């Protein structure tokens, strides 16, 4: 969304979230792609050859490939595997695979903390392996 905070990065040591406005000149799809790469926890997509073409993205579609959310009383745990497809201005499509997990809530003795983790890969196989290996607390 133009005009809204675009890049949000939580700094746990300072207990605050930093954000920045959407860069001028990028389509919404390109801003989404660059923001996704900039805020992921791992570095698999930070090579210039991977993220740089995404500046020319004109459309974005997101598909949930797999997800898990165990039933808990007062604690939420979820993990999901997404495929993000970006159509570039030349008509080609670039895809990124994202593992998103979150946990938090008010469990016995807990204080309502909430944790999120985002990892991103340029290939499907390592993303699926990470999804399979990621255990929910």
């Amino acid at each position: 969304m133009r005009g809204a905070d675009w890049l949000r990065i939580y700094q746990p040591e300072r207990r605050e979230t930093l954000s920045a406005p959407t860069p001028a000149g990028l389509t919404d799809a390109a801003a989404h792609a660059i923001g996704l790469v900039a805020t992921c926890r791992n570095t698999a997509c930070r090579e210039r050859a991977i993220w740089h073409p995404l500046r020319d993205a004109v459309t974005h579609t997101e598909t949930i490939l797999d997800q898990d959310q165990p039933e808990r009383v007062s604690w939420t745990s979820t993990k999901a595997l997404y495929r993000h497809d970006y159509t570039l201005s030349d008509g080609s499509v670039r895809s990124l695979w994202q593992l998103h997990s979150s946990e938090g809530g008010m469990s016995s003795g807990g204080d309502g903390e909430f944790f999120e983790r985002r990892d991103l890969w340029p290939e499907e196989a390592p993303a699926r392996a990470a999804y399979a290996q990621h255990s929910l607390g």
Side-chain angles (χ1 to χ4, degrees):
M1 220 155 104
R2 295 251 179 238
D5 288 338
W6 166 67
L7 183 62
R8 293 178 166 270
I9 300 174
Y10 180 69
Q11 295 187 319
E13 68 279 358
R14 296 173 65 181
R15 293 182 177 235
E16 68 179 350
T17 300
L18 302 178
S19 63
T22 304
L26 289 181
T27 64
D28 289 341
H32 183 276
I34 301 304
L36 195 62
V37 171
T39 58
C40 69
R41 193 178 71 92
N42 63 338
T43 59
C45 290
R46 297 228 174 108
E47 292 180 30
R48 183 179 170 96
I50 294 169
W51 69 263
H52 202 256
L54 297 171
R55 298 171 309 132
D56 294 327
V58 292
T59 66
H60 165 248
T61 57
E62 176 181 292
T63 305
I64 298 174
L65 302 174
D66 209 342
Q67 66 183 38
D68 186 20
Q69 183 174 357
E71 293 293 322
R72 299 235 169 30
V73 175
S74 60
W75 184 263
T76 302
S77 289
T78 63
K79 71 176 180 177
L81 181 62
Y82 296 90
R83 185 183 70 230
H84 297 273
D85 296 318
Y86 298 96
T87 303
L88 306 184
S89 58
D90 66 3
S92 64
V93 176
R94 298 280 178 114
S95 298
L96 298 176
W97 286 264
Q98 177 189 23
L99 168 60
H100 179 264
S101 61
S102 60
E103 296 187 58
M106 299 295 291
S107 61
S108 300
D111 61 1
E113 291 183 347
F114 184 77
F115 304 96
E116 280 188 286
R117 174 179 162 171
R118 293 177 184 91
D119 294 302
L120 198 61
W121 291 269
E123 294 97 22
E124 184 175 6
R128 284 200 179 272
Y131 178 85
Q133 293 173 355
H134 184 76
S135 62
L136 296 172

